[in-house]
Amino acid sequence: MDMKTEQAIDKGKKGKVYLVGAGPGDPTLITIKGKQFIEKAEVVIYDYLASKKLLKFAPADAEFIYAGKKGGVKHTHTQEEINQMLIDRANSGKIVVRLKGGDPFIFGRGGEEIEELVKAGLPFEVVPGVTSATAAATYAGVPITHRGYTSSVAFVTGHEDPTKETTNIDWEKIATGIGTLVFYMGIKNLPSITEKLIRNGRDPKTPVVVVRWASTPEQKSVDGTLENIADIVRREDIKPPALVVVGEVVSLRKKINWFEKRALFGKRIMVTRTREQASDLVAGLEEMGANCIEWATISIVPPDSWEALDQELAQLDTFDWILFTSINAITCFFDRLREKDMDARDLKGPRIGAVGATTAEVLQSYGIRADLLPEKFTGEGLAEALLEKGVTGDKILLPRALKAREVLPEKLTTAGAEVVVAPVYQNVRPKTQKAELRRQFEEKKVDLITFTSSSTVTNFLHMLHAESDEELKMLMNGVVVASIGPVTTKTAKENGLDVHIQPETYTIPALIESILSYY
Ligand code: SAH
């Protein structure tokens, strides 16, 4: 019996439902509390508008149920079915997270679901979320209230057809009685919404902004006034999910529109890295507004045999140097150290060299200060720095990838050192969908691609599978290529790629910096 089932039985087999607001789209806008509940969920029932990225916080063995619900499109489950799923799962003792876009109690039918739970006598908790209206306003550069412009705001459903006989919306009162109006689900009915507001006394020149996929890298917004916004939305083909923000505060957008003005806003950047390492680059690019497509071109797996390394771990004190030329080398080396019941203290003999600033930083996180850091962050740079110190007669350990460039060991050996190479990992090509990768380039969905090592280049090209140079040219036409350094650039060029961006120092922050200055 696993721990969770045990806990459930302890509690007398009664589960609990957490109705959690996922926030408006950007997954990091969820509350800490909401995230904590996802982390302990056994079942997650999520909606179309809840960011899929939040699902990765749930335990891998949780049950994931997509509840669908996309305006106009056929519902995956009816509301009754969803209610029943909540009740059944909770009744069987499960911790259920019901994840809804924005705030669960704002046009989310959260109230109805909770009523059912109350009826069934099941325990629950509700976690509010950042509703899309405030997010859309904020991310469109509109303070939803402002002392100088408005002192009231209303959230209104645009789903209700304003032409129908009986309406729950008092159009006459909201048209003139409230400063800022935000319409949810209002795209289809926008012509009648604006007409109704004008007919009931709102100034036709009132500024309006319509924001689609607010707070996400795909955000798109269009501006207009009450009298022309419906035409503009039709012309620009703005589809749901989108919000309509009406009011004088919208005019502040000209000054405050910060999100869409970021340097890389709307740029689709493919990041080819290992699954494990993409995060820094992606985070940096996303902060500048880029829409990152992460494409794993490398999987890091253990070497076929640990024999070579293990042998040296038993005699670490005989080495003068240990050199680390990549982050993977460090993490895999230390993983093995731990498996052998060793730790940083066993490295007190040899001096330690790092290839660059990032590797030195990672070493630091293991409690090791690098004794040597070259000026140029390449294998050659590291070799030169060592040669300056003199290595004749030195014994040097080089834990690294199974297949790697031989420059460093060769240079050191020539200079009279004894170099012991020990593989601590190997790069393999991940099994991802090649067809999908090709489609991204055929349909011109990528503005820029980053390469951070030679193997990302060769693996990418292998996965892209261009039949000829011409085909490669065609697929890569219009795509900006950014390479982290000269070695990667050389590999790219040798394989028929043009390289447009290469930073002066070969680090991730420098790469991000050069992409910024390119645009
Ligand atoms: N409970 C949700 C609203 C659900 S109703 C909340 O609090 O935000 C669904 C409507 O919300 C959509 O039709 C759209 O009008 C709006 N919406 C939700 N997320 C949105 C987003 N990221 N960008 C723009 N509109 C969004």
Side-chain angles (χ1 to χ4, degrees), residues 391-468:
V391 289
T392 325
D394 278 357
K395 197 172 163 199
I396 301 176
L397 179 61
L398 186 56
R400 59 163 211 191
L402 183 64
K403 270 192 237 146
R405 295 190 314 131
E406 297 303 332
V407 200
L408 180 60
E410 273 168 12
K411 286 208 160 154
L412 296 173
T413 311
T414 314
E418 182 196 340
V419 181
V420 180
V421 171
V424 290
Y425 67 94
Q426 52 185 329
N427 292 323
V428 295
R429 253 177 240 132
K431 295 182 188 64
T432 44
Q433 321 90 320
K434 291 183 184 171
E436 172 59 20
L437 179 69
R438 256 187 96 89
R439 204 175 56 80
Q440 300 270 343
F441 287 86
E442 276 163 5
E443 295 176 8
K444 299 283 160 220
K445 291 216 158 111
V446 178
D447 296 308
L448 182 145
I449 184 164
T450 64
F451 294 110
T452 47
S453 69
S454 288
S455 20
T456 58
V457 176
T458 46
N459 286 3
F460 165 76
L461 288 172
H462 187 270
M463 289 157 87
L464 189 65
H465 199 75
E467 297 283 351
S468 62

Side-chain angles (χ1 to χ4, degrees), residues 11 14-20 37-38 40-45 82-100 104-105 110 113-118 120-127:
K11 280 189 249 151
K14 263 252 158 107
K16 187 165 174 179
V17 176
Y18 296 92
L19 179 58
V20 175
F37 288 143
I38 297 177
K40 60 173 199 175
E42 291 167 279
V43 183
V44 183
I45 306 181
I82 297 169
N83 295 347
Q84 202 51 53
M85 283 193 284
L86 287 172
I87 291 169
D88 290 347
R89 298 297 190 285
N91 261 331
S92 66
K94 293 275 165 66
I95 296 174
V96 184
V97 165
R98 173 73 175 110
L99 191 63
K100 281 175 171 289
F105 278 176
E113 292 178 13
I114 295 296
E115 279 177 317
E116 291 300 318
L117 295 173
V118 173
L122 286 163
F124 63 87
E125 206 168 301
V126 186
V127 184

Side-chain angles (χ1 to χ4, degrees), residues 125-361:
E125 206 168 301
V126 186
V127 184
V130 174
T131 191
S132 54
T134 53
T138 302
Y139 285 80
V142 176
I144 205 162
T145 71
H146 188 292
R147 219 149 45 103
Y149 295 79
T150 171
S151 45
S152 60
V153 55
F155 295 164
V156 187
T157 173
H159 198 50
E160 192 179 275
D161 184 355
T163 56
K164 78 177 183 193
E165 293 272 310
T166 51
T167 163
N168 290 322
I169 301 168
D170 190 335
W171 289 93
E172 202 181 326
K173 286 190 179 133
I174 67 159
T176 51
I178 287 162
T180 311
L181 296 169
V182 187
F183 291 90
Y184 290 69
M185 302 170 279
I187 294 306
K188 196 165 133 259
N189 291 329
L190 192 56
S192 45
I193 291 171
T194 50
E195 187 269 331
K196 204 99 177 170
L197 289 174
I198 294 172
R199 188 143 51 82
N200 282 288
R202 193 71 178 233
D203 183 352
K205 297 274 182 269
T206 309
V208 181
V209 63
V210 172
V211 192
R212 179 169 199 253
W213 280 126
S215 80
T216 74
E218 283 106 286
Q219 175 172 321
K220 181 166 167 143
S221 62
V222 291
D223 295 273
T225 60
L226 265 189
E227 59 186 353
N228 66 16
I229 192 70
D231 286 340
I232 294 171
V233 161
R234 186 166 15 89
R235 202 173 57 225
E236 298 277 327
D237 197 25
I238 304 289
K239 298 228 158 66
L243 284 149
V244 183
V245 186
V246 180
E248 290 307 324
V249 280
V250 172
S251 63
L252 286 165
R253 182 168 145 76
K254 285 193 224 58
K255 263 193 260 174
I256 302 180
N257 191 4
W258 59 279
F259 183 71
E260 295 173 0
K261 291 243 166 78
R262 291 169 311 158
L264 300 179
F265 181 73
K267 293 274 180 294
R268 291 154 309 176
I269 299 186
M270 181 171 280
V271 176
T272 61
R273 289 199 74 170
T274 63
R275 276 248 176 279
E276 298 74 27
Q277 286 183 352
S279 52
D280 280 0
L281 182 55
V282 169
L285 293 170
E286 282 181 347
E287 195 180 336
M288 303 314 299
N291 186 358
C292 287
I293 312 156
E294 289 177 54
W295 212 275
T297 50
I298 294 179
S299 278
I300 304 295
V301 297
D304 296 330
S305 157
W306 284 109
E307 213 183 304
L309 182 74
D310 287 353
Q311 204 176 321
E312 309 310 331
L313 289 184
Q315 46 172 0
L316 279 177
D317 51 355
T318 64
F319 285 95
D320 299 288
W321 286 99
I322 305 178
L323 305 180
F324 290 102
T325 49
S326 71
I327 297 170
N328 289 319
I330 301 172
T331 52
C332 298
F333 178 86
F334 278 91
D335 282 352
R336 187 60 186 168
L337 213 58
R338 199 174 39 231
E339 280 166 23
K340 292 260 136 193
D341 292 326
M342 298 166 78
D343 63 25
R345 287 168 299 179
D346 295 290
L347 304 184
K348 66 179 176 298
R351 279 168 292 170
I352 311 271
V355 74
T358 320
T359 36
E361 225 170 81

